[in-house]
């Protein structure tokens, strides 16, 4: 029992911690927005353009890396992409040039894009198909998001935006964790063929082999596209709130930078709880019911963020975070099971394109906020989770190999072997019985 537990939790723990170090940089870009506005006098639209740069690059590039990992395993991407993602953000505050800032955060976006498809494939292998284990892997990313505003605020407080090179530290730690995770996954025992056929885990053992980690079933593109549409709705809400919640809460509560940073921290931290809860709820109630309930909960929660005044707003932010994050890891496993022949592509789209494409809406939200107010610009976000729920309501659980007709079982009991002496004694006993 202890050996099995160590085999399954050790690699997942390392992958989760590495995931946290990478996703610090996804959260850091949004956390830097208020400082760009205050120190460089950027407009809302200009500041959100920086979020767009990292999101758009990640959106376009991540599915490409996913397609590559469907053909070839590229575990070396994990430490390398972690370093690239961290270096880009670390350089974001060095120069006052808007163009250079866009360039370095774009490089960070490429690093983040390269990391996620391969890491999701590795986590699927290490998790043995467990929703709870994948939830722990996703939890790492959420903790990275949650840590980002606190880390950015602490670093920028020491020397303004020019202190941003200190933000490279999580990338260095993450690269070391990723290297350790690769060794741990490579040491896992090979998965028996019967287990792979059941759909519980991918067809490739650990680090080696091709990138296709799903059971050899049919790709359900129609269901995958509906799921992707729902994730896009979720992404626009999440990225829109990430970019502007700090500034919005300052206005609504009359607080300073601390109040805005606290709101962003709550938005990200609630996801840490929601992701693990989502895996456990899915084990008990099924993935799709949990995902639908989450989208339904998010509608009134976002309405509360936009409309509720004063400190109660923080409670609405926490509910919004839970609604957005409970289905997060379930999105990934559903997508992988809808496209069992293209697990890397499914991971790249759900973790990359569908999630990051929300950044495309950022400049539009910023432009509306510049022309009217942040409250007016954020109000349309209330309707998007409802649209996501509408897309999800017709989906069915992905077909698994044990869902169809079963073949008659074939006895595979190994022959019983006896030592020669015992065999001779048995033969003589039978002869005596026959003679008697």
């Amino acid at each position: 029992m202890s050996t099995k537990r160590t085999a399954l939790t050790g690699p997942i723990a390392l992958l989760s911690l590495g995931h946290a170090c990478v996703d610090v940089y996804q959260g850091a870009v949004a956390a830097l927005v208020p400082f760009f506005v205050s120190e460089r006098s950027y407009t809302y639209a200009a500041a959100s353009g920086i979020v767009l740069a990292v999101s758009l690059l990640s959106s376009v590039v991540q599915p490409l890396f996913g397609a590559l990992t469907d053909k070839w395993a590229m575990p070396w991407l994990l430490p390398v992409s972690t370093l690239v993602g961290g270096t880009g953000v670390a350089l974001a505050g060095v120069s006052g040039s808007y163009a250079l800032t866009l360039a370095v955060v774009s490089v960070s976006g490429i690093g983040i894009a390269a990391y996620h498809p391969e890491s999701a494939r590795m986590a699927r292998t290490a998790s043995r198909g467990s929703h709870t284990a994948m939830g722990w892997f996703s939890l790492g990313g959420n903790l990275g998001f949650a840590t980002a505003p606190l880390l950015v605020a602490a670093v920028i407080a020491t020397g303004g935006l020019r202190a941003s090179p200190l933000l490279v530290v999580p990338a260095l730690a993450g690269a070391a964790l990723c290297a350790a995770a690769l060794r741990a996954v490579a040491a896992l025992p090979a998965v028996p063929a019967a287990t792979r056929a059941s759909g519980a885990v991918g067809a490739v053992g650990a680090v080696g082999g091709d990138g296709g980690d799903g059971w050899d079933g049919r790709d359900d593109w129609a269901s995958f596209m509906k799921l992707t549409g729902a994730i896009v709705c979720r992404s626009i809400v999440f990225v829109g709130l990430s970019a502007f919640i700090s500034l919005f809460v300052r206005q609504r509560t009359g607080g300073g930078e601390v109040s805005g940073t606290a709101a962003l921290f709550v938005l990200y931290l609630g996801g840490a709880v929601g992701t693990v809860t989502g895996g456990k709820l899915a084990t008990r109630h099924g993935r799709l019911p949990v995902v639908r309930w989450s989208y339904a909960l998010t509608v009134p929660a976002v309405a509360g963020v936009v409309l509720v005044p004063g400190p109660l707003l923080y409670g609405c932010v926490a509910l919004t975070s839970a609604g957005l994050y409970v289905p997060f890891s379930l999105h990934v496993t559903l997508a992988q099971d809808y496209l069992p022949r293209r697990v890397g592509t499914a991971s790249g789209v759900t973790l990359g394109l569908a999630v990051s494409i929300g950044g495309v809406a950022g400049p539009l939200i910023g432009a509306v906020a510049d022309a009217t107010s942040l409250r007016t610009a954020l109000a349309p976000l209330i309707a998007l989770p409802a649209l996501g729920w509408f897309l999800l309501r017709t989906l069915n659980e992905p077909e698994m190999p044990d869902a169809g007709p079963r073949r008659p079982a074939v006895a595979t009991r190994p022959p019983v072997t006896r030592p020669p002496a015992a065999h001779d004694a048995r033969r003589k006993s039978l002869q005596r019985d026959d003679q008697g």
Side-chain angles (χ1 to χ4, degrees), residues 260-344:
T261 299
L264 190 59
F265 177 68
V266 170
L267 178 66
Y268 292 163
L269 184 64
V273 178
T275 299
V276 175
T277 303
K280 293 182 178 180
L281 288 174
T283 301
R284 176 175 297 183
H285 302 289
R287 289 178 290 184
L288 283 173
V290 172
V291 171
R292 294 188 190 108
W293 296 341
S294 301
Y295 277 73
L297 169 67
T298 307
V299 176
V302 175
V305 170
V306 176
L307 303 174
V308 171
L312 289 176
L313 188 150
Y314 288 98
C316 296
V317 172
L319 286 175
T320 298
S321 179
L324 291 173
Y325 270 112
V326 163
F328 188 78
S329 64
L330 307 181
H331 288 152
V332 180
T333 59
L334 280 168
Q336 290 174 338
D337 289 341
Y338 282 135
L339 299 185
R341 294 176 181 269
R342 295 173 174 82
V343 170

Side-chain angles (χ1 to χ4, degrees), residues 56-120:
L56 191 60
L57 250 295
S58 183
S59 298
V60 173
V61 174
Q62 198 157 159
L64 298 180
F65 280 105
L68 289 175
T69 60
D70 281 335
K71 295 184 177 181
W72 306 285
M74 295 186 288
W76 54 268
L77 272 179
L78 270 64
V80 171
S81 60
T82 300
L83 291 173
V84 172
T87 301
V89 169
L91 296 176
V94 172
S95 172
S97 167
Y98 186 77
L100 184 58
T101 301
L102 285 176
V104 294
V105 298
S106 298
V107 169
S108 178
I110 294 174
I112 294 168
Y115 170 85
H116 281 96
E118 182 66 6
S119 67

Side-chain angles (χ1 to χ4, degrees), residues 194-224:
T195 303
R196 293 197 302 265
S198 70
V201 71
V204 182
V207 178
D210 60 32
D213 282 353
W215 62 276
D216 192 19
R218 293 181 300 174
D219 291 334
D220 184 355
W221 283 100
S223 296
F224 176 77

